[in-house]
């Protein structure tokens, strides 16, 4: 894994561990032996460390964390590099990250391909750069820059790294040749001033000020995360303590993180990010064996907030869009809004004025459906009404060319019921964007009974092209996101009826790490949206909803949200919802005594005695109910694997990444506990049938030892 090649008086240690030259045990062994061999070899006068293939090491091997550690540690390898009597030059290309950058910081010199990037992304894995990265980097860059690089985890491009003193030279030609030439130029020069452990942190006297500022910043930006705080503590150590003691402190802080639940969740999330878009259908068709069609043009039907934002997703990556709205006034409004949103992106430096212009040039608004006959893909984004969607799909089927894909942005409706309106069910699928669609990363792609593998391949591919995290799910009521999230909403409202206030529920879930509690989310989207859907469904079933309604089809029902609607409290847009706002569209939510009165009088009129609801109950009722549904989603095959569910929650529903997602969180709580609590709540609330425990959960919980999350589906689903 590390080739030892001698060329004249230069030994080259070439790391060969594709795809990213991670510093796995055999690489560490190879580097250590290579350094020792080169120091013993009388003909060698300098040593070059370089990566084969596309990159210098991009870090430690993440798969080794959580397993019994194997010597030599990276620090021991690094100390041997620094102690070398012959100059060691690290020659960087690609992405020199984490442990890879640490290898470079142990070296006496660092040169780099001018296109390379460096960085310490450990914080994103809930770790710190634990092979002396936190105490070596400040010696080169000063404290403020080191704190920023290490706590953000961001990559730094080579010219910037040169400016900060991380690199000694940029190379535009052949890196290996240049590295050998550079190595020859430093032979015989003193090494002690090149050994970072011998150099002081130049701005050590200012450490407390930098620490306090950076701590306040990370507590605000990375609320609830422990890794950025430990990074800062270790960097502070680099300035306050002798080198050896600082290294000891760093090691202790690293160990604390390595064994933390947060790091386990973040490492799981790293691999889940890569695994979730890899789709597979029950038929065996998969990303590996199915080719996508190339989409060159798109029509978006419906120019409301959602349709407009979806159009932006395509035009900003150069895919022309026809935006269709039946009413010209609405269409012109939408086109104006899109222009303004893109102008906002220019102001935020996300795109240039030129890119905005180019995007708008490939957007065309139309008021007739007939115009979409030639597009490759249609995304329908009209009001959530099955009949309306069926009518539109039937018309699209007649208008569009036979090869065109017809997709719906429905958030809940069964794709099969939409597909039956066409003569091309194989080319019908769901593309469920999350609001605001031009910002939210998630795309929940939905296949129906007849959706063809090539349609699936195409919607997954186009999702990637527009920069979304695409996850494939099978059609069912609400798919994965809304189906599971419905339990959170239901339980949150039921708890208001039993004793909680909106701010109590939101605070507990936000302290848990959710981006927003369910009531703040409802205020954002508007309580009128849910009201319309409930009325629509009641009408379909011939049911009359009143304030006295407590059960619908035998299921517990709360009319509290309906009261809110009747009071005109639609949320932020009316300046009043579950909270009070300074004015319509203001963002800061204030608890509202009027809401407390509404809730109290609702309870009185229904004869409900209110009680104190402890935080743990709020967590369990909202999250365990969703988790139980998640197991049903898995046992039915709606989601292929737990990672898919977790990625949907992270990118679509604001679940804290440092908790992995609801399914990973369940694995940390323990399935026996989850199962017992689900059974307890099912006993307590028999009229909320979603508490009926999932068979998959029950079976997994019955194993004498915890079944690891990567075996949940393989172990039990096939036997259900
Ligand atoms: C004492 C402790 C010392 C040090 C601590 C550390 O070093 S922690 C690790 C720090 N490094 C990182 O976090 C880098 C992680 N990797 C990346 O950010 C990207 O992979 C990278 C390097 C920018 C390349 O991106 P690209 O999009 O080109 O590839 P992709 O991400 O799909 O990765 C390709 C496959 O490689 C696997 N992989 C990547 N990095 C690691 C790693 N450090 N350890 C193990 N495996 C890694 C990745 O999972 C992909 O595998 P696949 O099977 O194809 O899904």
């Amino acid at each position: 894994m590390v080739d030892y090649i001698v060329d004249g008086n230069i030994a080259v240690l070439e790391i060969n561990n594709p795809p990213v030259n991670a510093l796995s045990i055999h690489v560490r062994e190879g580097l250590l032996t290579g350094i020792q061999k080169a120091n013993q070899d009388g003909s060698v006068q300098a040593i070059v460390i370089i990566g084969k293939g596309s990159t210098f090491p991009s870090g430690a091997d993440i798969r080794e964390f959580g397993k019994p550690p194997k010597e030599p540690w990276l620090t021991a390898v690094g100390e041997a590099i620094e102690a070398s009597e012959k100059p060691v030059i690290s020659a960087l290309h690609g992405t020199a990250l984490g442990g890879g950058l640490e290898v470079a910081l142990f070296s006496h010199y660092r040169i780099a391909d001018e296109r390379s990037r460096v960085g310490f992304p450990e914080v994103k894995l809930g770790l710190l750069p634990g092979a002396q990265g936190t105490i070596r980097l400040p010696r080169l860059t000063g404290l403020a820059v080191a704190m920023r690089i290490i706590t953000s985890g961001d990559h730094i491009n080579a010219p910037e790294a040169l400016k900060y003193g991380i690199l000694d030279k940029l190379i535009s030609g052949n890196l290996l040749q240049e590295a050998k030439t550079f190595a020859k130029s430093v032979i015989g020069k003193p090494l002690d001033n090149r050994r970072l452990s011998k150099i002081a942190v130049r701005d050590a006297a200012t450490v407390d000020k930098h620490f306090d500022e950076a701590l306040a910043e990370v507590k605000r930006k990375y609320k609830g995360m422990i890794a950025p705080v430990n990074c800062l503590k270790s960097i502070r150590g680099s300035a306050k303590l002798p080198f050896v003691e600082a290294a000891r402190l760093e090691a202790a802080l690293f160990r604390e993180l390595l064994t933390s639940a947060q790091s386990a969740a973040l490492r799981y999330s790293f691999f889940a990010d890569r695994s979730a878009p890899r789709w597979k259908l029950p038929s065996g068709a998969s990303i590996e064996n199915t080719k996508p069609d190339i989409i060159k043009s798109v029509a978006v039907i419906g120019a409301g907030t959602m349709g407009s934002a979806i159009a932006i997703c395509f035009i900003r990556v150069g895919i022309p869009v026809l935006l269709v709205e039946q009413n010209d006034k609405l269409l012109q409004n939408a086109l104006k809004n899109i222009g303004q949103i893109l102008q906002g992106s220019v102001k935020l430096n996300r795109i240039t004025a030129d890119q905005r212009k180019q995007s708008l040039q490939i957007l065309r608004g139309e008021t007739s459906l007939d115009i979409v006959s030639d597009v490759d893909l249609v995304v329908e984004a009209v009001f959530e009404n099955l009949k309306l969607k069926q009518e539109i799909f039937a018309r699209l089927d007649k208008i569009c060319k036979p090869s065109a894909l017809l997709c719906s942005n429905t958030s809940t409706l069964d794709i099969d019921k939409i597909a039956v309106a066409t003569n091309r069910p194989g080319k019908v699928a769901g593309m469920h964007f999350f609001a605001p669609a031009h910002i939210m990363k998630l795309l929940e792609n939905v296949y129906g009974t007849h959706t063809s593998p090539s349609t699936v391949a195409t919607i997954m591919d186009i999702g990637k092209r527009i920069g979304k995290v695409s996850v494939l799910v099978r059609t069912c009521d609400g798919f994965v996101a809304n189906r599971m999230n419905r339990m959170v909403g239901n339980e949150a409202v039921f708890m208001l009826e039993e004793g909680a206030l909106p701010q109590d529920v939101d605070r507990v879930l936000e302290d848990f790490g959710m981006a927003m509690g369910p009531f703040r989310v409802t205020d954002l989207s508007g309580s009128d949206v849910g009201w319309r859907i409930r009325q629509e469904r009641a009408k379909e079933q011939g049911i009359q909803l009143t304030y006295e309604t407590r059960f619908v089809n035998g299921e517990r029902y709360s009319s509290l949200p309906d009261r809110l609607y009747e009071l005109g409290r639609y949320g932020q847009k009316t300046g009043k919802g579950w909270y009070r706002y300074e004015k319509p569209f203001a963002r800061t939510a204030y608890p509202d005594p009027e809401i407390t009165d509404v809730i109290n009088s609702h309870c009185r009129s229904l004869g409900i005695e209110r009680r104190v609801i402890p935080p743990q109950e709020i967590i369990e009722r909202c999250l365990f109910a969703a988790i139980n549904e998640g197991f049903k989603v898995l046992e039915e095959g709606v989601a292929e694997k737990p990672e898919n569910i977790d990625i949907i929650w992270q990118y679509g529903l604001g679940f804290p990444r440092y908790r992995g997602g609801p399914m990973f969180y369940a694995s940390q709580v323990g399935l026996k506990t989850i199962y017992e609590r689900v059974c307890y709540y099912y006993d307590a609330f028999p009229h909320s049938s979603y508490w009926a425990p999932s068979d998959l959960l029950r079976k997994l919980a019955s194993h004498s030892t915890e079944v690891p999350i990567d075996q949940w589906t393989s172990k039990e689903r096939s036997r259900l």
Side-chain angles (χ1 to χ4, degrees):
M1 287 206 169
V2 178
D3 295 328
Y4 183 85
I5 310 146
V6 177
D7 180 6
N9 56 353
I10 309 293
V12 176
L13 308 187
E14 189 180 54
I15 300 166
N16 182 10
N17 185 21
V20 298
N21 283 327
L23 293 155
S24 321
I25 173 67
H26 297 302
V27 174
R28 301 199 298 276
E29 281 169 350
L31 278 175
L32 187 57
T33 342
I35 290 289
Q36 287 163 348
K37 197 167 162 187
N39 270 279
Q40 283 155 10
D41 186 338
S43 67
V44 169
Q45 290 184 287
I47 305 159
V48 168
I49 301 178
I50 196 164
K52 198 178 167 120
S54 61
T55 188
F56 196 76
S58 298
D61 187 336
I62 303 168
R63 290 187 198 276
E64 285 182 1
F65 294 137
K67 294 187 185 148
K70 286 191 182 152
E71 289 188 54
W73 323 127
L74 188 56
T75 312
V77 176
E79 283 171 347
I81 293 173
E82 186 176 66
S84 166
E85 292 302 325
K86 301 172 182 180
V88 181
I89 297 94
S90 273
L92 281 44
H93 75 299
T95 44
L97 305 173
L101 181 55
E102 283 168 323
V103 165
L105 296 184
F106 280 109
S107 306
H108 307 117
Y109 296 93
R110 290 157 290 282
I111 65 169
D113 180 284
E114 60 186 3
R115 291 157 302 179
S116 57
R117 286 177 291 148
V118 304
F120 281 125
E122 281 86 341
V123 73
K124 297 185 178 173
L125 300 168
L127 297 170
L128 57 75
Q132 300 185 358
T134 63
I135 52 177
R136 286 176 179 265
L137 189 68
R139 289 173 151 76
L140 283 174
T141 64
L143 289 161
V145 171
M147 285 179 179
R148 184 166 55 75
I149 291 177
I150 291 174
T151 59
S152 72
D154 290 345
H155 296 184
I156 306 293
N157 64 37
E160 214 179 334
L162 180 73
K163 189 178 87 189
Y164 293 143
I166 300 170
L167 300 175
D168 299 305
K169 190 177 177 191
L170 297 192
I171 305 295
S172 55
N174 182 302
L175 183 63
L176 180 57
Q177 284 314 321
E178 295 280 348
K180 285 180 192 167
T181 310
F182 185 93
K184 283 181 186 147
S185 75
V186 296
I187 290 170
K189 290 197 174 166
L191 286 180
D192 252 4
N193 62 345
R194 304 296 314 175
R195 292 185 169 111
L196 292 179
S197 64
K198 309 280 181 214
I199 294 170
V201 176
R202 60 173 184 269
D203 52 352
T206 61
V207 67
D208 289 330
K209 172 179 156 287
H210 287 302
F211 179 83
D212 291 345
E213 282 170 12
L215 188 65
E217 168 87 352
V218 302
K219 287 205 160 160
R220 186 184 58 76
K221 234 171 153 176
Y222 310 110
K223 196 177 145 221
M225 285 188 62
I226 49 175
V229 176
N230 276 22
C231 288
L232 289 176
K233 285 183 183 165
S234 191
I235 298 171
R236 181 175 58 183
S238 79
K240 284 197 178 252
L241 300 171
F243 192 90
V244 175
E245 278 178 45
R248 227 175 273 138
L249 173 66
E250 184 196 70
L253 291 165
F254 176 79
R255 272 195 305 275
E256 184 186 320
L257 294 175
L258 186 62
T259 50
S260 70
Q262 288 194 2
S263 177
L266 287 162
R267 285 182 270 128
Y268 163 83
S269 299
F270 174 85
F271 292 110
D273 271 346
R274 284 150 184 82
S275 134
R278 290 191 182 136
W279 59 272
K280 191 170 160 206
L281 295 175
S283 65
S286 74
I287 189 168
E288 314 290 345
N289 59 25
T290 317
K291 264 192 153 177
D293 297 337
I294 301 302
I295 300 296
K296 295 198 178 124
S297 58
V298 172
V300 177
I301 315 298
T305 315
M306 200 62 180
S308 301
I310 293 173
I312 291 176
C313 296
F314 291 102
I315 56 174
R316 71 182 169 194
V317 298
I319 301 173
V321 170
L322 284 174
L323 182 61
V324 184
E325 176 59 69
Q326 46 182 348
N327 171 324
D328 190 53
K329 195 165 162 229
L330 292 179
L331 179 65
Q332 293 314 321
N333 264 343
L335 293 173
K336 199 169 134 208
N337 278 343
I338 291 174
Q340 280 168 351
I341 291 174
L342 291 177
Q343 188 57 41
S345 302
V346 174
K347 275 197 190 136
L348 291 170
N349 282 328
R350 292 201 177 122
I351 56 170
T352 62
D354 236 26
Q355 285 167 325
R356 173 180 181 269
K357 197 169 148 203
Q358 282 162 17
S359 297
L360 291 175
Q361 273 166 355
I362 54 173
L363 173 68
R364 204 172 116 195
E366 287 292 342
T367 49
S368 161
L369 256 197
D370 297 332
I371 201 79
V372 306
S373 58
D374 248 0
V375 298
D376 299 324
L377 166 70
V378 179
V379 182
E380 163 277 310
V382 303
F383 180 64
E384 193 76 343
N385 175 298
L386 181 61
K387 230 174 124 215
L388 176 64
K389 288 188 194 272
Q390 284 173 329
E391 276 165 26
I392 291 176
F393 271 71
R395 283 189 63 201
L396 287 170
D397 189 34
K398 292 201 176 75
I399 296 168
C400 293
K401 62 184 179 189
S403 60
L405 304 192
L406 308 183
C407 295
S408 173
N409 176 51
T410 174
S411 55
T412 50
L413 299 173
D414 187 344
I415 292 303
D416 286 346
K417 290 188 182 153
I418 298 175
V420 289
T422 73
N423 287 313
R424 59 176 96 187
K427 294 201 171 287
V428 177
M431 288 179 77
H432 177 205
F433 290 80
F434 286 69
H438 60 295
I439 292 175
M440 295 294 282
K441 290 287 279 178
L442 181 67
L443 178 62
E444 192 179 30
N445 276 330
V446 190
Y447 68 95
T449 311
H450 305 290
T451 310
S452 73
S454 91
T455 300
V456 170
T458 307
I459 57 176
M460 291 300 282
D461 182 64
I462 193 82
K464 195 170 164 200
R465 273 175 70 198
I466 62 176
K468 299 288 179 197
V469 175
S470 308
V471 182
L472 185 69
V473 305
R474 205 193 66 203
T475 188
C476 69
D477 184 8
F479 317 134
V480 171
N482 284 337
R483 173 170 167 178
M484 288 173 71
N485 202 24
R486 188 166 64 85
M487 279 82 227
V488 179
N490 280 5
E491 287 301 313
V493 170
F494 293 153
M495 283 188 279
L496 297 190
E497 283 190 335
E498 294 166 34
L501 292 172
Q503 54 271 28
D504 302 331
V505 177
D506 282 355
R507 193 178 41 245
V508 168
L509 290 172
E510 285 166 17
D511 285 350
F512 175 84
M514 296 299 293
M516 267 190 210
F519 295 106
R520 288 219 296 138
V521 172
T522 310
D523 272 3
L524 197 63
S525 55
S527 60
D528 50 326
V529 180
W531 181 84
R532 228 170 267 127
I533 293 173
R534 287 192 298 278
Q535 295 297 321
E536 198 76 36
R537 290 204 166 178
K539 209 161 82 190
E540 274 168 25
Q541 298 173 15
I543 297 167
Q544 175 79 34
L545 295 173
T546 70
Y547 291 145
E548 279 68 45
T549 308
R550 294 198 69 187
F551 298 97
V552 171
N553 296 329
E555 292 286 310
R556 181 174 176 184
Y557 181 84
S558 170
S559 59
L560 253 179
D562 300 334
R563 279 196 178 213
L564 215 67
Y565 175 84
E566 298 295 345
L567 290 169
R569 302 188 67 122
Y570 298 172
Q572 285 187 6
K573 56 184 138 188
T574 54
K576 279 180 176 184
W578 291 109
Y579 293 93
R580 176 179 67 76
Y581 301 84
E582 294 282 346
K583 55 180 185 205
F585 296 104
R587 303 292 278 264
T588 312
Y590 300 96
D592 190 347
E594 269 182 35
I595 278 292
T596 311
D597 290 345
V598 170
I599 294 171
N600 284 336
S601 91
H602 173 82
C603 291
R604 268 196 308 275
S605 71
L606 297 178
I608 300 170
E609 201 170 314
R610 293 174 64 72
R611 66 185 169 92
V612 174
I613 303 199
Q616 183 60 20
E617 182 176 338
I618 295 177
I619 295 281
E620 291 183 358
R621 287 185 55 188
C622 289
L623 297 184
F624 290 13
I627 288 165
N628 186 39
E629 196 66 19
F631 278 100
K632 292 177 189 171
V633 155
L634 282 179
E635 77 192 31
E636 291 167 22
V638 168
E640 191 214 333
K641 44 192 187 283
E643 291 95 311
N644 293 8
I645 298 177
D646 286 336
I647 288 300
I648 285 173
W649 274 73
Q650 281 188 26
Y651 290 97
L653 299 172
F655 199 92
R657 190 167 166 85
Y658 64 78
R659 290 193 191 267
M663 306 315 277
F664 186 79
Y665 172 66
S667 77
Q668 288 194 321
V669 172
L671 296 192
K672 277 187 189 23
T673 306
I674 301 273
Y675 177 68
E676 280 165 18
R677 298 306 288 160
V678 166
C679 291
Y680 168 84
Y681 287 117
Y682 190 39
D683 267 358
F685 305 114
H687 292 289
S688 295
S689 62
Y690 51 76
W691 278 114
S694 129
D695 277 349
L696 177 61
L697 172 60
R698 179 175 49 77
K699 292 203 170 182
L700 288 168
S702 71
H703 286 252
S704 53
T705 52
E706 283 287 330
V707 180
I709 190 166
D710 57 359
Q711 291 171 27
W712 283 0
T713 44
S714 56
K715 201 144 194 157
E716 289 297 351
R717 191 164 65 192
S718 56
R719 286 166 39 192
L720 283 168

